[in-house]
């Protein structure tokens, strides 16, 4: 089904943000200084039962539980569900789901394969087997909240989170839905740690993310029709093979963003791409690597970066004349690089900024 779109249907905004991770409850708390959010010291895992109830996540894997918590938070922030229930305030067919996770249910898939090898299919639990599906996160989000629009799951490497935001916006711009829930989630468990144990890491990168972030992206006209207040405006998106080329495609003529959310581990000793080429943005632009605070985020990173950008846009530093938030995932050592601009609410087009803050 294609929904009739208003004339300015390509104006896409963020109307809700949700988080389910230790160390930050709001988008602004994602911006804290390195070391303040738990890296290097023990922390309690996020309690999913306290958010969605123990019965609400029975027979679901950890990635799905975290995703449902962040999704509920985002839908409430966008006023798509009320504070005291999970009943949608809009028709379910107008809301799609796009989820991103590279490693989310890897533990379930590996344990299922091991059980079959040891005891054939007789050793499988009929309640747990559906969790081995690669689309389980997106599917359970749609089932729980009654979201009947298109349903997609991305497992696309370093750029997966930003790709999910892009494809959600594409669904809205094409008129397939009026709004879409975007989820990024990764988990920390023995299977994931074993898989990544041979990957090069520095001391700040030993922590793996065990959490989720979610956004609601929506056509601006439809958001206004229901009285929703945008938190950010989606700007241009690019996907290239090199970081510098990707950033320059978004910010031509040496333009400067207001803040740069860097790729995972950018500038660390293990990041050869940062030491072999000049930085793609001016030195005076503030930089923020969320993985230094919250751990290596893989397929959740792009969504988590967008949530942090919303937090920055809501601060004094993110005022309307401070420039756009530049978000990048992937670098020259990965198979691709993706970049996205987020602008303050109140203006649609992302305006390139020159160093010093002057408009291009």
């Amino acid at each position: 089904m294609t929904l009739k779109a208003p004339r300015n249907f390509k104006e896409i905004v963020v109307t809700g943000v949700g988080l389910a991770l230790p160390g930050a409850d709001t988008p602004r708390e994602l911006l804290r200084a390195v070391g303040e959010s738990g890296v290097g010291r023990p922390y309690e895992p996020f309690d999913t039962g306290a958010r969605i109830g123990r019965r609400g996540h029975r027979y679901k894997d950890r990635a799905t539980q975290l995703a449902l918590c962040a999704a509920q938070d985002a839908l409430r922030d966008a006023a798509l569900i009320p504070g005291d229930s999970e009943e949608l305030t809009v028709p379910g067919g107008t809301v799609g789901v796009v989820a991103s996770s590279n490693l989310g249910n890897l533990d379930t898939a590996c344990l299922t394969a091991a059980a079959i090898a040891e005891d054939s299919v007789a050793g499988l639990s009929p309640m747990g087997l559906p969790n081995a599906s690669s689309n389980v996160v997106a599917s359970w989000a749609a089932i729980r909240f009654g979201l009947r629009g298109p349903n997609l799951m991305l497992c696309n490497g370093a750029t997966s989170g930003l790709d999910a935001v892009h494809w959600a916006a594409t669904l809205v711009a094409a008129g397939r839905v009026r709004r879409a829930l975007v989820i990024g989630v990764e988990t920390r468990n023995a299977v994931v740690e074993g898989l990544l144990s041979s990957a090069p890491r520095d001391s700040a990168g030993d922590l793996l993310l065990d959490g989720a972030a979610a956004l609601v992206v929506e056509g601006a006209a439809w958001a206004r029709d229901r009285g929703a207040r945008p938190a950010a405006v989606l700007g241009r998106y690019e996907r290239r093979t090199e970081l510098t080329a990707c950033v320059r495609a978004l910010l031509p003529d040496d333009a400067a963003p207001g803040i740069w959310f860097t790729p995972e581990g950018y500038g660390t000793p293990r990041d050869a791409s940062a030491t072999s080429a000049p930085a793609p943005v001016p030195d005076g632009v503030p930089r923020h690597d969320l993985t230094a605070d919250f751990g290596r985020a893989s397929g959740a990173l792009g969504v988590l970066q967008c949530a942090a950008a919303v937090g920055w846009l809501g601060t004094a530093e993110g005022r309307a004349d401070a420039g756009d938030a530049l978000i990048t995932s992937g670098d020259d050592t990965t198979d691709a690089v993706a970049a996205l601009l987020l602008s303050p609410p109140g203006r649609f087009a992302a305006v390139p900024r020159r160093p010093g803050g002057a408009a291009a």
Side-chain angles (χ1 to χ4, degrees):
M1 178 181 68
T2 300
L3 303 170
K4 185 177 180 180
R7 286 185 297 177
N8 59 344
F9 70 97
K10 290 187 178 180
E11 184 176 345
I12 312 297
V13 297
V14 177
T15 54
V17 179
L19 298 173
L21 71 162
D25 295 324
T26 67
R28 291 190 185 187
E29 291 181 2
L30 293 171
L31 300 171
R32 63 187 61 191
V34 173
E36 293 181 7
S37 55
V39 174
R41 65 175 184 266
Y43 64 87
E44 291 296 324
F46 184 86
D47 184 0
T48 57
R51 175 78 60 85
I52 59 174
R54 297 297 177 188
R55 292 187 62 187
H57 63 33
R58 290 183 65 191
Y59 306 117
K60 298 177 181 65
D61 62 9
R62 174 71 173 168
T64 300
Q65 295 168 3
L66 289 164
L68 291 178
C69 291
Q72 183 191 74
D73 205 15
L75 292 170
R76 284 202 171 128
D77 190 44
L80 291 175
I81 60 175
D84 57 352
S85 77
E86 294 181 353
E87 184 176 352
L88 275 177
T89 59
V90 297
T94 67
V95 189
V97 180
V98 184
S100 170
S101 183
N102 291 323
L103 305 165
N105 71 332
L106 180 66
D107 55 337
T108 302
C110 290
L111 292 174
T112 298
I116 293 174
E118 181 177 349
D119 196 27
S120 78
V121 294
L124 298 178
S125 165
M127 303 304 296
L129 185 58
N131 293 329
S133 167
S134 60
N135 197 44
V136 64
V137 170
S139 297
W140 270 119
I143 293 169
R144 171 141 185 156
F145 301 108
L147 313 179
R148 300 195 303 274
N151 188 278
L152 304 174
M153 182 78 197
L154 273 65
C155 307
N156 206 28
T159 66
S160 190
L162 280 187
D163 294 339
V165 176
H166 165 68
W167 283 111
T170 300
L171 288 173
V172 176
R176 292 293 306 277
V177 289
R178 296 186 175 183
R179 52 201 62 90
L181 174 68
V182 188
I183 304 169
V185 60
E186 296 292 1
T187 60
R188 184 183 187 184
N189 54 62
V191 173
V192 172
E193 289 179 329
L195 177 69
L196 299 181
S197 61
S198 60
R201 293 177 289 180
D202 58 22
S203 60
D206 288 340
L207 186 70
L208 302 176
L209 178 73
D210 184 57
L215 308 170
V216 173
V217 299
E218 186 166 5
W222 289 313
R224 285 192 292 268
D225 285 347
R226 64 183 189 86
R229 185 175 181 179
V233 181
L234 292 184
R236 292 179 56 200
Y237 163 90
E238 288 286 345
R239 183 178 167 88
R240 302 291 177 93
T241 57
E242 296 179 346
L243 178 61
T244 298
C246 193
V247 171
R248 286 179 177 173
L250 285 183
L251 300 171
D253 303 322
D254 297 323
I259 190 172
W260 179 24
F261 290 93
T262 68
E264 181 176 281
Y266 183 82
T268 62
R270 67 183 173 89
D271 182 16
S273 68
T275 57
S276 62
V281 301
D283 291 338
V285 175
R287 305 179 184 185
H288 205 93
D289 179 7
L290 290 173
T291 65
D293 286 331
F294 299 97
R296 302 164 69 192
S298 192
L301 179 59
V303 185
L304 191 64
Q305 290 173 315
C306 288
V310 169
W312 178 78
L313 292 170
T315 65
E317 292 79 4
R319 63 192 185 278
D321 63 345
D324 302 316
L326 170 64
I327 302 167
T328 53
S329 293
D331 55 34
D332 296 353
T333 67
T334 58
D335 64 343
V337 178
L340 176 72
L341 291 176
L342 253 64
S343 301
R347 63 187 175 94
F348 164 51
V351 181
R353 316 290 296 183
R354 295 190 184 278

